[in-house]
Amino acid sequence: MDEAQAIHPLHDKASSRPTLEAWRSLALVTVGPILLAFLLCALALLIAGHDPIAYYLYVVERGVFSGQGLQQTLTRMAPLLLHAASLIIAFRAGIWNLGGDGQFLLGAVMAAALGPVLVTVAPDWITLIACMLLAMLVGALWSLVPALLRAYQGVNEIITTLMMTFLGTSFANVLVKLIFLDPATTVPQTRTLPVEDRLAWLPGTTISSGLFIGLAAVIIVHLVMTRTAFGLRLRIVGANPKAALHAGLSVSALTVIVFALSGGLAGLAGAVDIVGVFGNVRADWNPAYALAVVPLVFLARFNGWATIAFVFFYAVLDIGGESAARRIGVPQYFTLVLVATMFILLALAEWLDQQRRARQRS
Amino acid sequence: MEALLTTAFLTALVTGAVTAGIPLLLAGLGEQMSEKAGVLNVGIEGMMLAGAFAGFFAAYMSESIALGFLAGALGGFGVALLMALLCVRLGLNQIVIGIGLTLGFEGITALLHYNLFGRSYPRLPAVETLRIPGLADIPVLGPAFFDRPLIVYVAVLLVFVVSFVYRRTNLGLYLQAAGDKPAALDVTGIDVVRIRTFAVLTAGTLAGLGGAFLSEVGAGLFVPFMTNGAGFIGIVLAMLARGRPFWVLAGAAIFGACLSLTTALQVAGVNVPTDVIQMIPFAAVMAVLIIFGRNAHLPAALGIPYVRGAR
C-alpha cells in the first residue's frame, strides 16, 4: 500500500487521464452505490410511512426543475463550493481542517458587522470587497493556533480544529448578542446590509453572483494544486512529510500557509453567504455546511471538477429536502442520512474495485 | 459572591459535574482503548448518539433503566461493528468513515426521534439512586458522589478495571502493540485485526453507555444532536491522557465541572450569556494543548490500517 492510499483509500493519481476502462469503473464504482443508497433510503422512507418515489420526485422537481428551486440550488452552491475549495487545499496537503464551521461563522459575523456600517460611507463594491477580505483574514486567523500547534508542536489538527470550531460557534454568538447587536430590532441579530447593496443577482434571476466566486475558487484551487509547483509542494507534504523534508521543503511554513488558505476560504464562504444572501447574522445561526462538505470532497477524490458536480447534487438534495420537509413532512435530517449512506457505500465499492484490480494483476 | 457559596449551590455544582463528567469518562475510556490499538475513532460521536437514542427508547418502552443501558450499549456496539468492519477489516480510512458514521447517525437518530416522539416529547422518570449508607450523609460530596445511580459507580469502577487490564494482562500488552508496532504483534502469532476489532467494539459499547447516560440520567429525554461534541471531547481526553485511564478520569472531572458551571451559574442568577460559559471547556482544551501539546502521545501506528504483508 503506498502512502497516498494510506492517507486516503479513495485517492487517485491526480494526473491520470480518463480512459474507457476508467469510465466503466466510474459507472460501476460511483453510480451503482449512489443508486443503492437511494434504494436503501427509499426502504427507510417506506417503513416510516412515506411514499419514497413521491418524495424523490418532489425533491428533484423542487431542487432542479422548478425555476425558483433551481435558483435557490445554485445560490446555495456558493458557500458549499468555497468550503469545498478550503477542504481540497487542506486534504491534498494532508491536513485535516475540520474547523470550517467556526471559520465560516466568524467570517460571516465580521462581514455582517462591517458591511452595513461601511456601506453608509463607501461605495458598494468597496464594501463588498472589504467584507470578503476581512472574513478571509478572520477565518485564517481562527486557524492560526491549530496551524502553529501542528507545524511546530506536532499536535493533531483534527482535535484542535474541532475545538476551535466549537469555540468559534459560541464566540460568534457572543459577538452577535453582545457587541454587534442591531439596537433597532428586538431579536438578537446584527445590522442588515440592504438588499440593493448585496452581491448582484444574475440578470433576470435571483441567483446570487456568489456562485461565480465559489466556482472560481474551486477551479483555481484545483489548477493550483494539480498544475503548479506550489501545488506539487503541498501534495508532497501531504503524501509524505518526511520525504518533503528531505526534498528541502519547509514543511512547517507550508503547513501554516495551507491552514491560512483553507481557513481564509472558509471565512470567505461566510462573507459570501452574508453579503450575497442573508444580509445579517441572527443569533444561534449555524448552517453547519463544512462537515457536510467533507464527504463530498472525498467522494470527488479531491478533484475540483467532480467536486462541483457533487456539490450541485448535494445542493439539490438540500434545497429539495428543505422544501419537502415543509410539504411532505419528511424532516431535513433525511438528507444527512442519504448522504452518509451514499458515502459509506461508495467507500465500500471503491474497496471492492481495488480488490478486483489486485486480483487481475496477480 | 457569598450567595454562590451556599451548600445548596455547591451541591448542585458538584452533582452536576459528576452527571456531566460520566458520559465524557465513558467515551474517553472507550476512545483511549481504540486509540491504544491504533484506531482513531472519530465515529465516537455517532456511537454516543446511537446509544443515547437506543437507551432512551428501550428505557421508555420497557420502563426499565437497566434495559435502557443494555440497549444503549448495544446501540454503540452496533455502530462500532460497522466501524470495525470498514476500518479494521477492510482498512478504509478511519477519519473519513468516522465522519461518515457520525453524520449518518446524527441523521438517523434525529429522524427516528421525529417519527416516534416528534409530537409527544416524552420524559423518563428520575433514575433511582443507590445510596451508600454513611458516606451519603457527608455535606456536598455525599449527595454528589454517594447517592447516585448504579451506573455512576460502574463507570468509575471501569477506570480501575481498564487500568488493570493495561498494566497487568496480556490483553493490555496486545492492545498496546496493535497500536505501536502491529507487525511485531503479528509475528508473535496474535491476530492484529482481532485485537483492533475488540478495541473498537469495546469503545463503541462504552460510548453507547455514555450516550445512554446522557439521555436517561442526564436529560431524561432524547433530543436530536444531544451529544453536542461530547464524543469529540472524549477524543481529546484520550489524547491528553497518554494511555492512562486515571488521567481520563481526571480530565472528565475537570470538563464535567466546566459544563456544570454553565448551568449552576445560570441557576444562581449570575448574568453571563450561556455562550460565554459554553466556551470554557473548549478554551480549556486549547489552553491545555498549547501548554502540554508537545507531550500529547499518540501510538505510532494510529490511523494506519494494518494489512498483513504490506511492507
Side-chain angles (χ1 to χ4, degrees):
Chain A
M1 175 169 295
D2 65 21
E3 194 67 36
Q5 276 179 323
I7 292 167
H8 183 266
L10 312 180
H11 206 289
D12 68 341
K13 291 180 188 58
S15 58
S16 67
R17 300 250 161 241
T19 60
L20 201 66
E21 163 70 13
W23 285 112
R24 198 183 67 88
S25 93
L26 181 80
L28 274 179
V29 177
T30 307
V31 179
I34 290 180
L35 288 179
L36 190 61
F38 273 113
L39 208 69
L40 278 177
C41 289
L43 276 178
L45 281 176
L46 259 183
I47 293 168
H50 297 284
D51 179 356
I53 298 172
Y55 174 80
Y56 287 139
L57 282 180
Y58 184 79
V59 167
V60 173
E61 202 261 335
R62 279 291 306 167
V64 189
F65 294 110
S66 84
Q68 203 206 345
L70 182 63
Q71 295 179 15
Q72 283 174 352
T73 300
L74 293 173
T75 300
R76 175 61 51 85
M77 281 177 75
L80 297 176
L81 284 170
L82 283 163
H83 270 304
S86 149
L87 293 174
I88 290 174
I89 294 187
F91 289 169
R92 278 210 190 243
I95 286 164
W96 294 89
N97 176 15
L98 300 184
D101 283 324
Q103 294 149 7
F104 170 93
L105 277 177
L106 286 171
V109 169
M110 294 313 288
L114 177 69
V117 179
L118 187 63
V119 81
T120 55
V121 291
D124 281 358
W125 63 274
I126 291 186
T127 305
L128 293 176
I129 290 175
C131 284
M132 289 189 226
L133 288 178
L134 178 67
M136 288 177 81
L137 186 70
V138 170
L141 278 179
W142 202 248
S143 71
L144 187 67
V145 175
L148 293 176
L149 282 175
R150 156 83 193 230
Y152 298 102
Q153 303 267 26
V155 177
N156 185 308
E157 74 282 9
I158 298 178
I159 297 311
T160 51
T161 51
L162 278 173
M163 290 301 113
M164 291 304 278
T165 220
F166 286 118
L167 207 53
T169 312
S170 297
F171 189 47
N173 268 335
V174 172
L175 289 177
V176 171
K177 286 175 189 167
L178 294 185
I179 298 175
F180 300 125
L181 195 69
D182 182 356
T185 59
T186 49
V187 279
Q189 63 179 38
T190 63
R191 290 186 172 80
T192 307
L193 188 67
V195 177
E196 63 272 16
D197 296 323
R198 296 182 197 167
L199 283 175
W201 286 343
L202 301 195
T205 69
T206 55
I207 304 168
S208 168
S209 48
L211 173 65
F212 290 107
I213 301 178
L215 286 172
V218 170
I219 292 169
I220 291 170
V221 162
H222 180 75
L223 294 178
V224 166
M225 294 308 280
T226 56
R227 299 274 183 273
T228 67
F230 177 66
L232 181 64
R233 283 195 200 108
L234 295 187
R235 271 162 41 216
I236 295 171
V237 172
N240 192 336
K242 283 197 189 116
L245 265 180
H246 280 291
L249 299 179
S250 169
V251 175
S252 303
L254 284 174
T255 303
V256 176
I257 291 173
V258 167
F259 266 108
L261 290 174
S262 181
L265 282 167
L268 180 61
V272 164
D273 225 13
I274 295 308
V275 301
V277 182
F278 293 100
N280 62 28
V281 176
R282 282 171 289 129
D284 300 317
W285 178 68
N286 181 9
Y289 295 133
L291 222 48
V293 176
V294 172
L296 303 180
V297 171
F298 268 95
L299 291 180
R301 295 164 212 186
F302 310 154
N303 178 303
W305 310 109
T307 299
I308 294 174
F310 275 111
V311 165
F312 173 72
F313 182 65
Y314 177 77
V316 169
L317 290 180
D318 200 25
I319 294 291
E322 253 173 39
S323 160
R326 287 191 297 270
R327 184 68 69 83
I328 305 186
V330 177
Q332 179 104 46
Y333 314 124
F334 183 76
T335 313
L336 211 58
V337 179
L338 189 60
V339 170
T341 313
M342 249 174 230
F343 185 52
I344 287 168
L345 287 177
L346 278 160
L348 261 176
E350 181 77 18
W351 180 82
L352 287 172
D353 191 51
Q354 269 175 15
Q355 296 290 304
R356 189 180 59 84
R357 281 188 217 188
R359 266 201 308 279
Q360 276 176 359
R361 274 200 300 272
S362 60
Chain B
M1 281 308 278
E2 233 158 68
L4 284 180
L5 294 174
T6 59
T7 321
F9 175 79
L10 284 177
T11 310
L13 185 67
V14 182
T15 311
V18 174
T19 309
I22 292 292
L24 303 179
L25 171 64
L26 287 165
L29 279 180
E31 179 71 27
Q32 182 171 52
M33 185 176 291
S34 173
E35 282 183 18
K36 216 178 198 23
V39 182
L40 181 59
N41 190 347
V42 186
I44 201 128
E45 182 91 2
M47 295 172 191
M48 287 187 88
L49 273 170
F53 183 80
F56 171 76
F57 181 77
Y60 178 70
M61 289 300 169
S62 68
E63 297 184 353
S64 153
I65 289 296
L67 274 181
F69 276 108
L70 188 67
L74 278 177
F77 180 87
V79 184
L81 211 56
L82 273 175
M83 177 104 192
L85 176 72
L86 295 169
C87 298
V88 180
R89 235 159 244 277
L90 306 189
L92 298 180
N93 186 301
Q94 295 164 4
I95 299 169
V96 178
I97 296 297
I99 293 174
L101 286 177
T102 292
L103 286 177
F105 279 88
E106 276 178 359
I108 289 171
T109 51
L111 215 53
L112 283 172
H113 175 262
Y114 177 87
N115 266 337
L116 296 170
F117 307 116
R119 280 154 205 85
S120 52
Y121 290 99
R123 290 189 74 99
L124 295 172
V127 178
E128 265 183 56
T129 60
L130 180 68
R131 195 179 158 83
I132 297 179
L135 290 175
D137 296 327
I138 306 170
V140 180
L141 300 182
F145 290 103
F146 303 112
D147 188 13
R148 306 307 307 264
L150 180 64
I151 184 81
V152 172
Y153 308 118
V154 173
V156 176
L157 202 64
L158 266 175
V159 178
F160 290 86
V161 174
V162 173
S163 177
F164 178 80
V165 168
Y166 289 161
R167 285 158 179 266
R168 298 266 182 256
T169 65
N170 281 350
L171 178 62
L173 213 55
Y174 298 158
L175 285 167
Q176 177 110 38
D180 273 333
K181 198 91 184 149
L185 184 63
D186 204 358
V187 168
T188 65
I190 308 294
D191 188 349
V192 175
V193 168
R194 188 172 290 177
I195 293 293
R196 285 188 168 183
T197 305
F198 168 81
V200 171
L201 294 180
T202 310
T205 309
L206 290 179
L209 273 180
F213 187 93
L214 273 178
S215 61
E216 288 179 47
V217 180
L221 74 170
F222 181 84
V223 186
F225 310 103
M226 71 183 299
T227 48
N228 192 25
F232 294 121
I233 296 182
I235 299 178
V236 173
L237 290 179
M239 286 197 168
L240 292 177
R242 293 195 274 160
R244 296 169 201 171
F246 285 99
W247 287 36
V248 177
L249 180 63
I254 294 170
F255 269 88
C258 285
L259 290 172
S260 164
L261 201 62
T262 318
T263 12
L265 283 181
Q266 274 174 313
V267 173
V270 176
N271 197 11
V272 185
T274 47
D275 302 290
V276 175
I277 302 169
Q278 273 165 8
M279 288 167 71
I280 295 173
F282 300 112
V285 176
M286 287 310 293
V288 168
L289 283 172
I290 290 169
I291 300 166
F292 299 110
R294 207 183 271 279
N295 296 329
H297 166 80
L298 294 175
L302 184 64
I304 303 167
Y306 183 69
V307 182
R308 182 177 280 172
R311 263 196 290 165

